[in-house]
Amino acid sequence: MPPTPVNMPAARASQLPPPPEAFHLRDTAWHRASIKQHLQHWDGHSDLWVFGYGSLIWRPEFDHLEARRARIHGYHRALCLWSRINRGTPEQPGLVFGLDLGGSCEGTVYRIAAARAYDILLPLWQREMPSASYVPRWLNCQTAAGPVSGLVFTMDRRDEGYVTGLSVDEIVAIVRQGRGRYGPCTEYVLQTADALEAADITDHRLRTIAQALRRPL
């Protein structure tokens, strides 16, 4: 099993992700099939919307025609997914954001040109779903200009990487130790917190976590 994170109580050790041999990345063929499945009702002509709630707010990495502040209901932003690639390793995982059940979440919804949909969605799928930990859903996104149906990557609670019930202190300890192919987990969390503050989006729990991460050890 991966080592217990620094300051992780023994009661939480059982929530650590499985060892590396149980972890499988999805290939390009799987991503293409998943995109096709989730676009089966798309008319092929209308522009598509994608909702961002974490790093997609400050690093969307895809061309878009429009960006709007938006809110979805039924899900909230949480550091609820072990990260063993992007912001951690199998031996020393970090945490990344997911949309967990309950509450609501403010973020940014992006409009993608219909003509470029597949070119944009493939790298987006590969980025957001390297191990299929999220469930893509079409949800109602409320914006100041009216509601739009947006593609939202929600947390799959059945996924072996899902974690819940961590205290702020436990989250901070895990985030501080995580580092993956995209860099330190601390950087990821603080950039998200800063992006929300800049957009005047309030997330009280994330603000508390960010304040703790900025305190000297």
Side-chain angles (χ1 to χ4, degrees):
M1 288 290 292
T4 302
V6 177
N7 297 329
M8 172 66 80
R12 299 297 187 198
S14 63
Q15 295 192 59
L16 283 169
E21 59 267 26
F23 182 60
H24 302 288
L25 298 181
R26 302 294 182 173
D27 59 19
T28 301
W30 182 90
H31 287 115
R32 291 186 186 278
S34 179
I35 293 170
K36 183 177 180 181
Q37 174 190 351
H38 289 91
L39 294 187
Q40 59 182 322
H41 300 301
W42 177 47
D43 61 15
H45 304 292
S46 304
D47 293 340
L48 300 175
W49 294 86
V50 174
F51 180 77
Y53 56 90
S55 63
L56 286 181
I57 294 178
W58 48 269
R59 187 169 59 88
E61 291 186 327
F62 57 81
D63 293 334
H64 51 277
L65 303 175
E66 183 183 358
R68 299 182 192 173
R69 180 168 166 173
R71 179 184 291 275
I72 62 169
H73 292 274
Y75 296 89
H76 66 280
R77 181 174 28 247
L79 286 163
C80 60
L81 177 62
W82 293 109
S83 179
R84 295 165 294 188
I85 300 176
N86 293 347
R87 299 292 175 173
T89 64
E91 296 75 25
Q92 198 165 29
L95 289 168
V96 292
F97 292 104
L99 283 176
D100 206 357
L101 287 174
S104 64
C105 179
E106 272 196 284
T108 302
V109 67
Y110 301 94
R111 181 162 63 95
I112 296 174
R116 298 208 55 214
Y118 284 101
D119 291 338
I120 289 173
L121 288 178
L122 179 57
L124 178 62
W125 237 259
Q126 291 170 324
R127 167 182 166 175
E128 294 298 303
M129 298 181 62
S131 60
S133 297
Y134 298 130
V135 178
R137 302 181 190 275
W138 292 97
L139 299 180
N140 186 33
C141 302
Q142 297 289 338
T143 80
V148 298
S149 180
L151 177 67
V152 185
F153 293 94
T154 65
M155 186 66 224
D156 184 353
R157 284 189 158 198
R158 300 168 301 176
D159 188 83
E160 42 82 12
Y162 172 67
V163 61
T164 188
L166 298 176
S167 69
V168 168
D169 288 343
E170 291 165 348
I171 289 172
V172 169
I174 296 167
V175 168
R176 278 181 169 153
Q177 72 174 6
R179 178 182 291 269
R181 67 177 179 180
Y182 289 159
C185 192
T186 297
E187 176 186 78
Y188 161 81
V189 174
L190 291 180
Q191 283 181 306
T192 302
D194 289 344
L196 294 182
E197 292 283 350
D200 198 27
I201 295 174
T202 301
D203 186 320
H204 295 293
R205 184 169 173 83
L206 178 54
R207 181 180 294 172
T208 299
I209 292 168
Q211 289 172 344
L213 286 170
R214 289 190 169 102
R215 294 191 197 108
L217 293 173

